[in-house]
């Protein structure tokens, strides 16, 4: 395994000059205002943890958990300190010493990497949401009575699809005979929640002359595992996914999820087996705009849209102009920029569930920026952001859908 | 170590969730922007003046140091709890209480971020001139305590020129108001000036009333290039001598422009030894007259090229270069010492020469930049704190720089303050009599040496 341990990253932590510029951009610090919330402090704590002056304690865990991994601090840091990587390394050390809570461990190790279980769970969730159970549960307050955390998790829960995309794929006939061979990495969210996005991606790619390959055994990208410090499971997933995707012989490996794409692009740091793999990974919007030239259809989409930069797509993968180029290319669509489009929405995977109140405060700032634009819809290139933004829009009583740029592009055909 | 019941009493005063004693939290409040650090015993984040008063009274009863702390961006070690004790984290007291457009004043709590205050004031068509480079993270309370400056100091002065009134918790826990909203106020001792720049040693600032000025109608930027750094420095002095007061007048040497270009290129030329970046503001007419005069003076000082930014975008690009200087320094060095020795403006050419000589003598890389329009130099020493031999040379070079600044009729600090770092030079500037006077003030108001002890060459506990 090649990912650096916290001890090996001590040098990185010593690069910090404590200037405090990270305070300006850190969404968590913006809400809490206290020093432990900011990147500078996490770098210092990582350094003391690496040096053995501080130990893994509940407080250390709590502080290290207060990071969205949005990388805004890294982008704003004069010394280019990789706080994101230091925090992940600290979490890995915490997990090694303390393990994971049973349910979380089960979710990371058993559920997310298991495509069959995902299918069952999605179905169960769909039924829960569509047979009136969800409303009943929310109405009677039982969940809240059991646990506030559980209630928050339930509140942020996305709307599951009746059938996973993988299940639908069994009956879908992918076209052959295109000029370019691409492998499409299917994210868990596209699989379980945004199945329409999966269809749009396949449709758009085929219309751009691509043969699309979706290896069925490809699993979760490994981000949630890495975020909770479970480097071993993340590495296992990386090894397996890299092997399966490379075996398709595709020229490009495409993602429709900012977070998955960022993870895939960092597989080489995780497993040596992924050498050479990374160079083929591209976000779908980057691929369409930079490699092929995007070709929209004639059907207009009459609407004003504003674009939210997902952290892992923008700062992680440096993809920001391409999704906008796609939106601008769509006939009838008007792109109206919001203020601070690149500021984190506070979703960060399960962060919104585990730190609900804090996450909502980060989200409120995003909502106010969206409100100022008053768009017909919000576009975002990461399903995790979509889930968070949808929750925020509902909380703020705004009936504005959140869509992936590729879904909008697909509507033009 | 502090008595074990102190934290409990602090919890009673400020609430459970606002008192922190775990080593992780203490570590987070052990440092500022310098390379120094020391652990406090406890951190408390108060919400009200009354809470602070109670905390200080407790601290007096138990003889525990109290260190007020804003954004922790101090460049002098001023907020480092060298004697342990209680860190007062001021971030919860962060409200802008009033912007009074009729009187051109504003009243704020100390935890307000300076840039946030700027934005609020600018919305009203007004300006709060002090603009420390750290303004995006430093707090108003910290600015007052350190008497912060900034690039606009040439024309507009520093924080002390804008403080009209303060609410202060005294070192023994009393609550006191000095000054108010009046522009003229000559009653009694000028305590506003005493507290402004007191670096947390004489009181905890809990409310600040500030003077605002109308936002200028227009501004323009000029960039002049020189074949020698001496010529550039001479142009700085010459502009002032010719009775033009720009808003901002920044000097940059070849090295700093080279670092900026390799960090975030803005198109600075690589074949000149010195450059000055100037902004003037005022009425449309004044601005045009002034910029023409400045251009003439630069030409008379053998400027190779004088470039007047044709629009706001061009001006912004030039200033973006200057603003990224700190990043460029950090990107190129493990440790950066940002010094701020300051001289009378006519002596800028002399101090520039001396800094160059010192850099050569001690074989150090010291790019020069500074808010030189007010004589405020920022020689930045690029070094590596792990290199003990080089650190000795750095220390000697800094000693010599301050000696030179004082010999030229200058001062130890233009805007960073004394804190921990410059204590040893205090006798050089004030002499024993001057220091004794300061110490007697401290002793009179803070008999138990509670507030920020161990700073500014004031007496230690038991001394």
């Amino acid at each position: 395994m090649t990912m650096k341990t916290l001890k090996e990253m001590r040098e990185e932590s010593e690069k910090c000059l404590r200037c405090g510029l990270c305070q300006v951009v850190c969404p968590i610090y913006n809400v809490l205002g206290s020093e432990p919330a900011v990147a500078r402090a996490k770098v210092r704590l990582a350094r003391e943890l690496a040096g053995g002056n501080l130990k893994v304690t509940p407080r250390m865990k709590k502080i290290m958990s207060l990071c969205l991994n949005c990388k805004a601090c890294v982008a704003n840091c004069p010394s280019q300190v990789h706080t994101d990587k230091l925090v992940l390394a600290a979490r890995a050390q915490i997990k090694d010493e303390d393990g994971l809570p049973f349910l979380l461990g089960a979710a990371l190790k058993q559920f997310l990497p298991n495509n069959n279980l995902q299918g069952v769970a999605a179905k169960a969730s769909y039924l829960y949401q569509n047979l009136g159970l969800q409303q009943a549960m929310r109405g009677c307050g039982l969940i809240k009575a059991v646990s506030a955390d559980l209630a928050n998790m339930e509140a942020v829960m996305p709307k599951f699809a009746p059938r996973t995309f993988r299940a639908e794929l069994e009956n879908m006939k992918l076209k052959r005979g295109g000029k370019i061979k691409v492998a499409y990495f299917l994210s868990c969210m596209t699989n379980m929640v945004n199945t329409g996005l999966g269809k749009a991606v396949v449709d758009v790619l085929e219309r751009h002359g691509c043969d699309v390959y979706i290896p069925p055994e490809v699993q979760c990208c490994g981000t949630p595992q890495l975020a909770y410090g479970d480097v071993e499971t993340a590495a296992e997933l990386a090894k397996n996914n890299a092997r399966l995707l490379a075996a398709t012989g595709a020229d490009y490996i495409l993602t429709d999820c900012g977070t998955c794409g960022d993870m895939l692009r960092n597989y080489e740091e995780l497993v040596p087996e992924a050498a050479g793999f990374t160079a083929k990974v591209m976000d779908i919007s980057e691929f369409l705009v930079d490699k092929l030239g995007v070709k929209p259809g004639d059907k207009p989409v009459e609407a004003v849209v504003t674009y939210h930069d997902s952290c892992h797509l923008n700062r992680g993968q440096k993809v920001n102009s391409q999704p906008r180029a796609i939106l601008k290319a769509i006939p009838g669509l008007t792109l109206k920029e919001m203020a601070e489009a690149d500021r984190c929405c506070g979703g960060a995977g399960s962060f919104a569930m585990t730190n609900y109140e804090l996450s909502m405060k980060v989200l409120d700032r995003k909502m106010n920026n969206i409100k100022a634009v008053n768009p017909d819809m919000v576009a975002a290139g990461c399903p995790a952001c979509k889930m968070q933004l949808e929750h925020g829009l509902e909380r703020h009583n705004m009936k504005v859908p959140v869509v992936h740029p590729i879904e909008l592009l697909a509507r033009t055909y | 170590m502090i008595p074990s019941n102190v934290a409990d009493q602090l919890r009673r005063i400020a609430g459970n969730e606002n008192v922190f004693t775990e080593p992780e939290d203490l570590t987070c409040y052990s440092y500022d922007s310098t390379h120094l650090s020391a652990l406090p015993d406890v951190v408390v984040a108060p919400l009200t003046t009354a809470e602070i008063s109670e905390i200080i009274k407790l601290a007096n009863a138990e003889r525990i140091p109290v260190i007020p702390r804003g954004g922790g961006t101090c460049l002098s070690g001023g907020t480092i709890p060298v004697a342990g004790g209680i860190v007062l984290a001021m971030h919860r007291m962060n409200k802008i209480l009033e912007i009074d457009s009729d009187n051109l004043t504003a009243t704020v709590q100390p935890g307000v971020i300076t840039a946030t205050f700027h934005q609020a004031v600018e919305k009203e068509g007004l300006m709060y001139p002090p603009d420390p480079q750290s303004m995006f993270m430093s707090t108003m309370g910290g600015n007052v305590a350190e008497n912060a400056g900034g690039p606009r100091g040439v024309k507009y002065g520093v924080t002390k020129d804008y403080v009209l009134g303060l609410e202060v918790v005294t070192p023994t826990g009393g609550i006191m108001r000095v000054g108010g909203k009046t522009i003229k106020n000559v009653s009694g001792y000028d305590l506003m000036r005493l507290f402004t720049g007191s670096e947390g040693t004489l009181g905890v600032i809990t409310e600040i009333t500030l003077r605002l000025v109308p936002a200028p109608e227009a501004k323009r930027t000029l960039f002049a290039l020189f074949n020698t750094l001496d010529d550039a420095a001479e142009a700085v002095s010459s502009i002032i001598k010719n009775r033009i007061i720009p808003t901002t007048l920044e000097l940059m040497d070849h090295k700093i422009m080279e670092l900026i270009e390799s960090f975030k290129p803005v198109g600075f030329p690589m074949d000149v030894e010195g450059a000055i970046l100037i902004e003037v503001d005022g009425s449309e007419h004044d601005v045009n007259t002034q910029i023409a005069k400045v251009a003439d003076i630069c030409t008379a000082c053998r400027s190779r090229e004088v470039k007047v930014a044709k629009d706001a975008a061009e001006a912004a690009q030039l200033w973006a270069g200057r603003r990224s200087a700190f990043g460029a320094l950090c990107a190129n060095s493990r440790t950066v010492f940002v010094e701020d020795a300051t001289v009378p403006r006519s002596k800028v050419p002399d101090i520039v020469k001396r800094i160059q000589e010192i850099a050569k003598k001690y074989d150090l890389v010291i790019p020069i930049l500074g808010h030189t329009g007010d004589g405020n130099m920022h020689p930045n020493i690029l070094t590596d704190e792990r290199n003990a031999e080089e650190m000795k040379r750095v220390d000697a070079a800094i000693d010599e720089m301050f000696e030179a600044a004082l010999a030229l009729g200058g001062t130890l600090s233009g805007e960073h303050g004394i804190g921990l770092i410059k204590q040893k030079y205090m006798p050089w500037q004030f002499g024993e009599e001057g220091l004794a006077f300061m110490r007697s003030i401290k002793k009179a108001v803070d008999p138990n040496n509670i507030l920020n002890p161990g700073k500014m060459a004031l007496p230690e506990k038991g001394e």
Side-chain angles (χ1 to χ4, degrees):
Chain A
M1 203 182 63
T2 53
M3 188 173 138
K4 280 188 180 163
T5 64
L6 188 59
K7 278 200 175 61
E8 288 162 343
M9 288 196 74
R10 176 127 189 221
E11 182 87 351
E12 185 70 23
S13 70
E14 287 170 358
K15 274 163 61 184
C16 174
L17 288 165
R18 300 159 302 279
C19 67
L21 269 168
C22 43
Q23 295 178 3
V24 182
V25 293
C26 176
I28 303 281
Y29 179 79
N30 178 258
V31 173
L32 297 176
S34 60
E35 186 72 23
V38 81
R40 174 172 74 164
K42 296 190 177 81
V43 172
R44 181 54 162 259
L45 292 179
R47 176 174 146 187
E48 301 299 342
L49 190 58
N53 300 324
L54 288 176
K55 308 232 158 337
V56 170
T57 62
R59 184 61 183 154
M60 180 68 82
K61 278 194 207 173
K62 177 72 191 169
I63 295 174
M64 287 302 172
S65 78
L66 292 180
C67 172
L68 300 158
N69 217 257
C70 74
K71 306 173 202 284
C73 52
V74 185
N76 205 41
C77 177
S79 305
Q80 300 292 297
V81 178
H82 275 280
T83 308
D84 55 338
K85 290 181 182 166
L86 281 167
V87 167
L88 290 180
R91 288 179 184 173
Q93 182 163 332
I94 289 168
K95 182 253 154 196
D96 283 348
E97 288 186 26
D98 254 29
L100 290 167
F102 176 73
L103 272 177
L104 180 62
L108 296 175
K109 285 181 203 298
Q110 312 300 330
F111 172 62
L112 282 174
N114 187 320
N115 294 341
N116 291 333
L117 266 181
Q118 276 192 14
V120 174
K123 178 145 266 166
S125 305
Y126 175 80
L127 292 175
Y128 167 75
Q129 288 169 331
N130 289 276
L131 293 178
L133 269 170
Q134 183 168 47
Q135 266 172 325
M137 289 296 272
R138 286 181 181 179
C140 76
L142 181 66
I143 312 177
K144 243 190 191 112
V146 174
S147 146
D149 278 352
L150 197 64
N152 293 335
M153 283 189 205
E154 207 273 346
V156 192
M157 194 171 162
K159 296 221 177 326
F160 283 87
R163 273 163 65 79
T164 63
F165 188 63
R166 286 190 193 284
E168 295 204 21
L169 262 178
E170 286 165 16
N171 305 324
M172 259 170 81
K173 217 171 137 41
L174 297 171
K175 284 186 190 145
R176 290 293 170 251
K179 285 185 289 262
I180 305 168
K181 202 170 175 186
V182 298
Y184 171 32
F185 173 84
L186 197 59
S187 78
C188 297
M189 290 291 286
T190 303
N191 183 41
M192 290 190 283
V193 180
N194 307 315
T195 52
L197 172 59
K199 282 176 215 151
V201 166
V202 172
D203 181 34
V204 165
L205 286 172
E206 286 179 346
R207 283 172 191 274
H208 281 76
C210 298
D211 278 2
V212 184
Y213 291 82
I214 309 173
E217 296 89 9
V218 163
Q219 295 166 319
C220 169
C221 69
T223 299
Q225 292 77 10
L226 200 61
Y228 282 104
D230 187 357
V231 183
E232 293 79 12
T233 306
E236 230 170 82
L237 290 167
K239 208 189 314 185
N240 192 37
N241 289 342
R243 182 177 56 79
L244 290 165
L245 289 162
T248 60
D251 304 311
Y252 298 97
I253 294 155
L254 304 180
T255 58
D256 61 6
C257 164
T259 301
C260 298
D262 191 34
M263 182 72 190
L264 261 59
R265 283 190 153 151
N266 285 302
Y267 269 3
E268 279 177 63
E269 277 185 36
L270 214 54
V271 285
E273 290 89 338
F277 168 83
T278 311
K280 291 185 175 179
V281 179
M282 281 188 126
D283 182 70
I284 177 152
S285 60
E286 184 187 12
F287 173 71
L288 289 177
V289 173
D290 293 356
K291 291 288 164 193
L292 302 182
V294 58
K295 293 186 270 296
D298 306 327
K299 250 195 268 168
V301 183
E302 300 288 351
V304 173
V305 66
T306 193
Y307 180 71
H308 160 74
D309 279 295
S310 304
C311 300
H312 289 125
L313 191 53
N314 174 31
R315 283 181 291 272
Q317 301 187 57
K318 310 271 183 285
V319 174
N320 42 53
S321 65
Q322 298 92 336
R324 289 180 168 85
I326 289 176
L327 294 173
K328 283 180 196 158
I330 293 173
L333 198 69
T334 310
L335 172 64
K336 205 169 155 195
E337 292 284 349
M338 69 171 101
E340 304 179 319
D342 65 347
R343 206 177 162 92
C344 182
C345 62
S350 58
F351 186 91
M353 299 173 180
T354 49
N355 293 280
Y356 184 75
E357 299 293 328
L358 181 55
S359 168
M360 289 306 115
K361 284 183 184 155
V362 176
L363 180 59
D364 283 344
R365 183 158 166 166
K366 180 61 65 179
M367 287 304 122
N368 290 333
N369 286 329
I370 293 175
K371 250 181 222 167
V373 171
N374 190 24
D376 301 317
M377 47 191 162
V378 179
C382 178
C385 298
K386 175 183 156 85
M387 179 165 105
Q388 171 86 343
L389 293 171
E390 279 173 345
H391 183 64
L393 290 160
E394 199 182 308
R395 266 166 58 94
H396 285 250
N397 295 316
M398 285 189 275
K399 292 201 171 22
V400 180
V402 184
V403 285
H404 195 289
I406 298 301
E407 286 176 282
L408 290 176
L409 182 61
R411 283 188 207 169
T412 64
Y413 300 114
Chain B
M1 279 300 285
I2 59 168
S4 57
N5 65 340
V6 166
D8 289 336
Q9 296 194 57
L10 288 172
R11 288 189 185 101
R12 183 184 52 74
I13 297 169
N16 251 337
E17 64 285 7
N18 299 308
V19 177
F20 306 91
T21 53
E22 298 191 64
E24 292 81 4
D25 293 283
L26 303 183
T27 301
C28 293
Y29 289 91
S30 67
Y31 53 78
D32 61 9
S33 293
T34 62
H35 63 296
L36 305 167
S37 68
L39 288 172
D41 293 300
V42 56
V43 178
V44 51
L47 185 66
T48 64
T49 306
E51 284 177 16
I52 294 176
S53 164
E54 273 196 74
I55 293 165
I56 304 274
K57 282 178 186 159
L58 169 68
N60 271 278
E62 301 284 351
R63 301 285 194 272
I64 302 165
V66 175
I67 301 91
R69 183 185 185 276
T73 56
C74 198
L75 283 161
S76 64
T79 56
I80 294 172
V82 275
I86 302 167
V87 163
L88 277 185
M90 303 297 283
H91 61 269
R92 293 176 68 219
M93 294 178 73
N94 61 355
K95 286 172 196 61
I96 297 173
L97 301 171
E98 181 192 58
I99 294 176
D100 182 343
S101 309
D102 295 340
N103 280 307
L104 305 193
T105 65
T107 302
V108 301
Q109 289 191 317
V112 171
I113 305 286
T114 312
T116 307
F117 180 56
H118 276 185
Q119 283 162 9
V121 164
E122 280 156 19
K123 257 191 209 153
E124 307 291 319
L126 297 166
M127 170 163 86
Y128 173 67
D131 60 339
Q133 302 278 39
S134 60
M135 67 181 183
F136 294 101
M137 48 288 185
S138 65
T139 60
M140 293 302 294
N143 285 181
V144 174
E146 296 292 323
N147 196 359
R152 294 202 286 234
V154 193
K155 178 168 177 176
Y156 291 102
V158 296
T159 304
K160 69 180 174 192
D161 300 310
Y162 295 89
V163 179
L164 291 177
L166 293 171
E167 179 190 70
V168 177
V169 176
T170 70
T172 47
I175 299 171
M176 178 168 85
R177 277 184 177 274
V178 292
K181 276 191 185 180
T182 63
I183 295 297
K184 286 184 169 180
N185 189 339
V186 297
S187 311
Y189 291 156
D190 188 350
L191 297 181
M192 256 91 64
R193 289 245 168 170
L194 186 61
F195 286 119
T196 308
S198 62
E199 304 191 13
T201 63
L202 295 181
V204 182
I205 293 156
T206 50
E207 204 179 289
I208 311 157
T209 299
L210 297 146
R211 186 167 68 90
L212 305 174
V213 298
E217 189 184 297
K219 37 182 159 180
R220 288 197 88 172
T221 293
L222 176 149
F223 188 49
L225 306 173
F226 298 85
N227 286 328
T228 72
L229 186 59
D230 288 349
D231 285 347
E234 200 190 311
V236 172
S237 291
S238 192
I239 290 166
I240 304 297
K241 230 185 281 175
N242 280 281
R243 301 172 192 195
I244 295 169
I245 309 294
T247 321
T248 309
L249 205 181
E250 304 279 302
L251 176 77
M252 293 183 281
D253 74 354
H254 173 78
K255 185 73 196 170
I256 191 75
M257 286 191 284
E258 188 185 281
L259 293 176
I260 290 168
E261 279 303 301
S262 67
F263 179 63
K264 275 183 190 162
V266 291
F268 284 157
M270 287 298 88
D271 58 344
V272 292
E273 286 303 316
I276 54 177
L277 186 56
I278 297 174
E279 185 183 277
V280 296
D281 71 8
S283 72
E284 197 75 49
H285 176 263
D286 286 353
V287 161
N288 289 329
T289 327
Q290 282 191 46
I291 213 89
K293 272 196 195 165
V294 171
D296 287 347
I297 296 165
C298 289
T299 310
C301 291
R302 297 166 295 284
S303 171
R304 200 184 80 181
E305 191 190 336
V306 178
K307 192 175 165 184
V308 178
K310 63 176 190 306
D311 53 25
E314 226 179 85
Q317 197 190 2
L318 290 168
W319 286 106
R322 169 61 184 89
R323 250 196 306 280
S324 70
F326 180 67
L329 293 168
C330 296
N332 281 281
S333 177
R334 183 62 176 239
T335 310
V336 183
F337 285 91
V338 188
E339 295 301 345
D340 76 326
T342 301
V343 294
R345 292 179 279 193
S346 65
K347 302 291 187 195
V348 165
D350 305 77
I351 190 77
V352 166
K353 252 179 241 154
R354 287 291 293 128
I355 293 167
Q356 286 176 298
E357 285 163 17
I358 292 165
K360 206 167 170 193
K361 177 175 170 188
Y362 292 101
D363 189 23
L364 294 168
V365 183
I366 312 184
I368 298 174
L369 76 162
H371 318 315
T372 31
D374 48 27
N376 188 187
M377 302 301 303
H378 287 307
N380 299 284
I381 306 177
L382 303 188
T383 180
D384 185 339
E385 57 187 312
R386 295 168 301 182
N387 182 343
E389 184 275 326
E390 185 166 283
M391 288 306 284
K392 273 191 199 146
R393 282 185 281 129
V394 168
D395 279 346
I398 294 174
D399 284 0
E400 233 172 271
M401 270 192 261
F402 287 120
E403 216 179 294
L406 292 173
L408 290 165
T411 177
L412 299 173
S413 176
E415 56 188 17
H416 296 172
I418 301 302
L420 278 178
I421 282 183
K422 293 183 194 170
Q423 295 197 93
K424 72 170 179 174
Y425 308 119
M426 282 291 272
W428 298 3
Q429 183 169 350
F430 290 93
E432 281 313 316
E433 197 62 33
L435 268 183
F437 196 86
M438 285 193 208
R439 285 174 177 154
S440 46
I441 294 174
K442 169 72 170 168
K443 194 146 207 160
V445 302
D446 188 4
N448 298 317
N449 199 19
I450 295 301
L451 275 181
N452 206 6
K455 310 285 167 66
M456 274 177 79
L458 298 166
E460 303 294 321
K461 237 178 188 165
E463 205 177 296

